[in-house]
Structures are given as structure tokens and as C-alpha cells.
Amino acid sequence: MSTDTHAAGATPAEQALSRLHRITSSRELDFEQRVDAILHLGAEHFGLPIGIFSKITGDSYEVQQAIHPEDALKPGMSFDLGHTYCSHVVKADDVRGFHHVAESEIRSHPCYSNFALEAYLGAPVIADGERFGTLNFSSPQPTRPFTGQDIELVRLFAAWVGHEIARRRDLRALETSRKELERLATTDPLTGLYNRRYMEDCLNRELERAKRYGKPLVVGLLDFDNFKELNDSYGHNTGDAALKLFAKVSSDMMRETDIIARWSGEEFLILMPETGAAGALKYLKRLTDRVRESDFKADDDRVELTLSVGLGLAEADDTRDSLISRADVAMYEAKQAGRETTRIHNKEEG
């Protein structure tokens, strides 16, 4: 017997289950689209044209998604939970249904007074063992009495929504963990700047890009002056505070294309794509001035923090190591020149 023949001979409940399976297993639909499809499926199967997926927080009932013949319900709309039939679902912590409210024990309910909804079928949406909200269907017209299959179906619809919410939370948690591991792998724990490993990868990538497109590229190697004396005089916590200060100042001043990393100890490396020597010198002068002028104190003493800077200008045949080596030589020359200065070591200088 063909599939079509099977479908033709299936009961309405079996057809609804088959449609639910297609909806929930579709790779083409996202979560919101699947919920929308389930709301339409339930509305059609139960004969209740209004379908709502809600979130309940305390006494607040908020519409997450909805279908309505007159498009009268929008995501974000909120109501007092006690004014909705879903309050009965919450109280029972289970499916509740009323096929003719005017002739039921809840005919005095505010929802009937305010909205004249004669029929309602709703189930709690449970995610990770906690109630998230409800999945419910309603109508201004009375409907047939709900069967045991109806109750199981709406419970199944709501269960899938709850499982999917929990799954999405798990996926978000995994993504957050992945990003945190990535951050830890690429970030210096003291300063929050990128670490040397990440910068080396960036150097390789940007150097290749500079060669390919003929763009300038500058690296600046910055080293605190008299850093050992700072640690010896005031302790390593003060030295750490100086490094953190530099990280904050440089991050605040960083241009969109720049990349800054803690290179080693008290050394920092700034990668400046599409920047020539003049632009790099101007930027680094502002940066070192800002650090020097900061109100940095150690044991109530104001300490002036200065840096020596060496620049390396990328050449066509540079490797990462050769470029960094020139910046390192330039920084050494800056130290030799009396510190608190900047030097450029050109390739032709050897």
C-alpha cells in the first residue's frame, strides 16, 4: 500500500502526529517557524483558530508567538496571568480544556468577561524541568468536547516546544563555552589584551595581505622603561597595575583596524595594517603621552610611566620574524637613546 493510501486511511490524530513529525524534523525551518507551524496545526486539528505560545514570569503572561484570524495578537503583548485561562493550566500544572465556557464552572472568569472566549485547550511548556509558559488554543465559539487524544496531542505539542527551548539553551551554553575557551586561548589573563600566540597568527595573515595588495603595514613594539625598578620599589602588584593601565589606555585609543597584544613581560606589540610610518608615529606618540600623563600612583606616590617604542615597516620580502626583529632592534635603539623615545629600524640599516 502506498504512503498516500496510508495517509488517506489515517485517523485525524494520526495525521496530526505525522504532520508534527514533519514539522519538528524539518531542517529548513528554524525554531520560530516550527512553533508557527505547530500553532497552525493545532488550530486546524482542534478547531480552535487562536493559537498562542506564551512565556509566564510570576503573574505576567507574555505572548511569544501567536496566530489569530484577525492578527490581533503580537509577540511582546502581555497580560495579567489571572486574566487568562492559562492560569488554570499553571494551577493544575497540566493540560486544561473547556469546550463551552458559558456552560462551565469558569464562566465567571475574567478571560470570558473580557474576551468572550468560549473554548480553550492549553498545556504547560516545560524546559529543563521548569515551567516556561504555555501552548494554548482558543475560540470565541464553543467546540466539540475534547477527547483524550486531543489532550495527549496538545501535551505532545507543548513537550516538543519545551524540549526545543531546552536544546536551544544547551546550544547557546555550548557556544558560550566555546567562545570563552577561544577567548582564554587568545587572551592574556592579566591585561585582557590578545596574547602572543594570537598576535603571531595575525601577523602572518596581515603580512600576507599587505604583500598581496601592496598595502603598508607597521608593527610597533613598546616596552616599559625602568619596569624592574618599579617592581623592586613598589612590588609586583604595582607592576601589574601599570600593565593593566597600558591595556586600558591602548584599548580605549585603539583604531578599528589595529590589533594590540601583550608580547612578553612588559612588552606590547601593536599591529597597524594600512598604516605608514607617519601615521604610526603620530598614533604611538598620542598613546605613550596618554600613558605618561595618567594619574598612576604607587604607595601614594605619583609614578610617571614611560615607554620606549620600536617600529618595523613591512617590506615585500619580510617574514613575520624579520619584521619583528627590526622592531625589536629599533626598540633597543630607543632604550639606548635614553628611553621614552621612538625609533624606526629600516631594513637597509642592517
Side-chain angles (χ1 to χ4, degrees):
M1 187 177 293
S2 70
T3 303
D4 291 340
T5 305
H6 274 301
T11 66
E14 290 171 337
Q15 292 177 16
L17 284 172
S18 178
R19 287 176 62 186
L20 177 65
H21 175 72
R22 291 198 299 272
I23 291 167
T24 57
S25 61
S26 172
R27 294 179 178 273
E28 299 176 357
L29 303 178
D30 61 22
F31 173 72
E32 286 75 18
Q33 290 171 325
R34 293 179 186 184
V35 170
D36 184 71
I38 288 174
L39 290 174
H40 280 90
L41 170 59
E44 178 184 333
H45 179 78
F46 301 126
L48 304 171
I50 302 170
I52 304 173
F53 164 43
S54 76
K55 181 178 182 180
I56 295 173
T57 306
D59 294 327
S60 176
Y61 174 100
E62 181 180 327
V63 176
Q64 302 293 291
Q65 290 181 238
I67 59 170
H68 190 284
E70 299 172 2
D71 201 25
L73 292 170
K74 303 292 184 182
M77 295 177 68
S78 62
F79 305 89
D80 187 307
L81 175 62
H83 291 177
T84 71
Y85 292 145
C86 288
S87 59
H88 292 277
V89 173
V90 171
K91 184 177 180 180
D93 198 26
D94 199 1
V95 176
R96 291 305 305 269
F98 310 96
H99 74 282
H100 194 177
V101 172
E103 297 183 358
S104 75
E105 69 275 14
I106 68 163
R107 56 184 174 273
S108 62
H109 195 281
C111 190
Y112 187 62
S113 303
N114 296 332
F115 304 107
L117 294 175
E118 285 283 8
Y120 169 89
L121 182 64
V125 173
I126 307 298
D128 292 323
E130 297 181 354
R131 186 193 66 243
F132 178 90
T134 62
L135 189 74
N136 62 89
F137 302 87
S138 55
S139 171
Q141 304 298 326
T143 189
R144 59 176 174 77
F146 299 117
T147 67
Q149 284 184 332
D150 293 330
I151 291 171
E152 290 306 314
L153 271 176
V154 74
R155 183 179 284 130
L156 185 62
F157 292 173
W160 179 85
V161 175
H163 290 321
E164 189 65 10
I165 291 171
R167 189 181 74 85
R168 293 175 80 206
R169 286 175 177 172
D170 290 342
L171 289 175
R172 283 196 295 266
L174 285 172
E175 179 62 12
T176 299
S177 297
R178 184 193 67 78
K179 288 181 178 179
E180 178 62 12
L181 287 173
E182 185 177 88
R183 186 190 69 80
L184 291 172
T186 61
T187 304
D188 172 59
L190 177 66
T191 63
L193 298 175
Y194 288 120
N195 59 22
R196 183 172 183 140
R197 174 184 173 185
Y198 180 81
M199 179 58 88
E200 287 176 342
D201 290 339
C202 291
L203 282 164
N204 288 334
R205 183 173 62 250
E206 291 299 330
L207 187 57
E208 180 60 32
R209 194 172 75 89
K211 292 177 182 179
R212 183 182 304 119
Y213 298 106
K215 299 290 186 179
L217 175 69
V218 179
V219 295
L221 197 57
L222 301 90
D223 185 89
F224 271 97
D225 297 324
N226 305 310
F227 194 75
K228 183 178 184 302
E229 288 80 355
L230 181 68
N231 278 330
D232 290 344
S233 299
Y234 297 102
H236 288 279
N237 287 340
T238 299
D240 288 348
L243 299 178
K244 291 177 183 178
L245 172 70
F246 175 84
K248 183 180 186 312
V249 172
S250 61
S251 296
D252 290 344
M253 293 182 58
M254 182 174 62
R255 301 172 303 179
E256 186 175 345
T257 56
D258 295 340
I259 303 170
I260 305 176
R262 185 180 181 189
W263 191 244
S264 65
E266 67 271 22
E267 289 184 349
F268 296 88
L269 193 144
I270 300 183
L271 175 60
M272 293 169 276
E274 299 189 26
T275 301
L281 287 168
K282 183 178 179 181
Y283 169 69
L284 292 171
K285 176 70 164 54
R286 288 176 49 235
L287 173 59
T288 53
D289 284 350
R290 186 79 61 86
V291 173
R292 177 172 45 78
E293 294 165 0
S294 63
D295 187 22
F296 184 78
K297 291 185 178 180
D299 294 345
D300 296 326
D301 297 329
R302 186 186 181 281
V303 178
E304 188 174 84
L305 301 174
T306 65
L307 298 106
S308 296
V309 184
L311 293 188
L313 311 181
E315 302 288 345
D317 59 347
D318 258 325
T319 65
R320 181 189 74 199
D321 291 341
S322 66
L323 179 58
I324 296 301
S325 177
R326 288 206 307 284
D328 190 51
V329 170
M331 188 185 67
Y332 177 77
E333 291 173 349
K335 294 282 188 185
Q336 293 296 103
R339 298 181 172 84
E340 196 182 350
T341 188
T342 300
R343 290 289 184 269
I344 301 175
H345 189 80
N346 296 319
K347 191 171 184 180
E348 59 268 19
E349 294 176 358

